[in-house]
């Protein structure tokens, strides 16, 4: 796979990013994406998914939400539990102020972090800083603004009980804490 032109263009893009040449990196990533053969656009192709994730990350800063959505949805159609793409989708939904969907995406992201074999994908948004951003900022914002927050909290409770997920337990505890603050303000 390393002798393929899309892999070379992906690597060029990473080099351009290290040099701070964002626009050139975007062009290299677009070229790489256009070179991925249809039969290699699958959940096993970590480079293909990384191209989509990197493109989404680079264009979200430009507020090109249409491109972000296209790249994220293309990747998630192939691998629905790709942590980086779910993180990018969370940021997209935050910018679009679609908080119920954002909250749902965060839950999928937390589950994806616990996926077996995740190291194969060399996730850029599965590190401690990204997870901290989820729990400290993104999840509280989404939960506070979501219309269906109570129903989502109950789903998360059931999920963490059945899956034994520490990430979901932490999310549920945070939701309960937010709801207790919400109740105090109402009284």
């Amino acid at each position: 796979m390393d002798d393929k032109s899309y892999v070379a263009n992906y690597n060029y893009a990473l080099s351009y990013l290290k040099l701070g040449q964002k626009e050139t990196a975007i062009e290299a990533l677009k070229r790489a994406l256009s070179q991925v053969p249809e039969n290699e656009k699958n959940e096993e192709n970590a480079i293909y998914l990384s191209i989509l994730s990197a493109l989404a990350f680079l264009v979200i800063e430009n507020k090109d939400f249409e491109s972000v959505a296209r790249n994220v949805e293309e990747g998630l159609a192939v691998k629905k539990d790709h942590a980086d793409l779910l993180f990018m989708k969370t940021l997209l939904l935050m910018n679009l102020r679609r908080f119920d969907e954002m909250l749902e995406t965060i839950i999928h992201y937390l589950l994806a972090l616990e996926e077996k074999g995740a190291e194969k994908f060399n996730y850029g948004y599965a590190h401690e800083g990204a997870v901290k951003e989820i729990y400290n900022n993104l999840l509280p914002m989404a939960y506070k603004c979501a219309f269906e927050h109570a129903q989502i909290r109950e789903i998360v409770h059931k999920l963490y009980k059945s899956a034994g997920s520490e990430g979901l337990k932490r999310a549920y505890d945070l939701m309960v804490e937010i709801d207790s603050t919400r109740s105090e303000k109402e009284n």
Side-chain angles (χ1 to χ4, degrees):
M1 187 168 160
D2 289 329
D3 60 343
K4 299 192 177 166
S5 57
Y6 74 87
V7 175
N9 278 311
Y10 172 70
N11 288 325
Y12 290 144
L14 296 179
S15 296
Y16 292 133
L17 283 175
K18 287 179 184 174
L19 295 171
Q21 298 176 5
K22 182 178 155 188
E23 293 306 317
T24 309
I26 290 171
E27 291 309 312
L29 288 167
K30 287 179 179 178
R31 202 169 29 259
L33 183 59
S34 72
Q35 294 168 330
V36 179
E38 283 302 315
N39 66 330
E40 293 185 34
K41 292 181 177 181
N42 59 59
E43 70 178 89
E44 297 301 315
N45 190 338
I47 299 290
Y48 164 63
L49 295 168
S50 292
I51 291 167
L52 291 168
S53 176
L55 266 172
F57 171 74
L58 290 171
V59 299
I60 201 165
E61 292 176 351
N62 300 340
K63 307 251 185 254
D64 182 359
F65 300 134
E66 187 177 312
S67 292
V68 175
R70 185 175 50 251
N71 291 317
V72 165
E73 293 308 320
E74 180 178 335
L76 291 176
V78 172
K79 182 164 177 45
K80 67 180 179 169
D81 58 355
H82 191 275
D84 282 354
L85 291 166
L86 289 166
F87 191 85
M88 288 298 111
K89 184 173 182 178
T90 297
L91 297 178
L92 171 66
L93 292 168
M94 177 187 68
N95 279 289
L96 298 175
R97 305 186 61 73
R98 292 168 43 188
F99 297 110
D100 288 87
E101 292 171 74
M102 179 184 170
L103 192 54
E104 180 184 340
T105 302
I106 289 170
I107 301 312
H108 287 287
Y109 167 81
L110 293 172
L111 289 169
L113 293 179
E114 298 175 5
E115 167 195 1
K116 288 179 177 44
E119 65 282 346
K120 169 187 175 180
F121 295 97
N122 196 25
Y123 291 135
Y125 301 100
H127 56 80
E128 185 180 333
V131 173
K132 196 179 226 183
E133 180 69 15
I134 289 288
Y135 288 118
N136 292 346
N137 298 314
L138 298 173
L139 190 144
M141 175 198 312
Y143 190 70
K144 287 174 186 174
C145 297
F147 291 111
E148 303 292 332
H149 60 86
Q151 293 86 341
I152 294 170
R153 184 192 67 231
E154 290 311 309
I155 292 168
V156 170
H157 183 253
K158 289 176 185 173
L159 278 172
Y160 104 71
K161 286 287 192 184
S162 67
S165 166
E166 282 303 310
L168 291 184
K169 180 180 183 338
R170 185 173 171 192
Y172 175 75
D173 290 344
L174 185 57
M175 291 173 182
V176 169
E177 182 181 321
I178 291 167
D179 283 339
S180 70
T181 305
R182 218 187 292 247
S183 296
E184 289 172 11
K185 288 181 181 176
E186 291 173 0
N187 294 327

